[in-house]
Amino acid sequence: DPRLTGDDADPFEYHHHRGERETVAEAASYIAATHFGMDVGNESFTYVASWAQDPKILKARLSEVSKVAASVIDACEKTMGKVVKEEDE
């Protein structure tokens, strides 16, 4: 997704906002993993916090985190549904 990698922006912009982008990506990954029952442990939350550096950054990006997590969960569920369907055939 270009929103996460910075492919849609020039390198300076990505570097300048990398902490915010990594915060969104890591927080969304944390949510998606826990949605599927994976034990991600406390280290994951600590890692997210290390990218955010300031709780205000995470708070300001919660809507974006939610959208990205929902997109990841939806894509995984669609893929898993296809795999199950193929196995049943």
Side-chain angles (χ1 to χ4, degrees):
D1 186 336
R3 293 173 298 166
L4 303 179
T5 63
D7 293 340
D8 62 336
D10 68 48
F12 175 77
E13 282 298 311
Y14 173 70
H15 179 72
H16 182 71
H17 297 287
R18 183 173 182 213
E20 293 176 24
R21 290 172 183 260
E22 291 291 344
T23 298
V24 171
E26 294 300 331
S29 297
Y30 178 88
I31 292 168
T34 57
H35 172 83
F36 290 108
M38 295 178 193
D39 181 11
V40 291
N42 291 334
E43 295 82 19
S44 293
F45 188 77
T46 303
Y47 186 70
V48 170
S50 74
W51 276 109
Q53 295 180 350
D54 182 346
K56 292 177 186 175
I57 292 174
L58 182 57
K59 200 174 199 178
R61 298 290 187 191
L62 286 178
S63 176
E64 188 176 357
V65 168
S66 179
K67 288 177 187 175
V68 172
S71 178
V72 170
I73 290 167
D74 184 53
C76 288
E77 288 178 342
K78 285 179 182 175
T79 300
M80 289 187 311
K82 289 178 185 177
V83 170
V84 169
K85 185 177 178 183
E86 288 174 4
E87 287 178 355
D88 289 343
E89 292 177 352

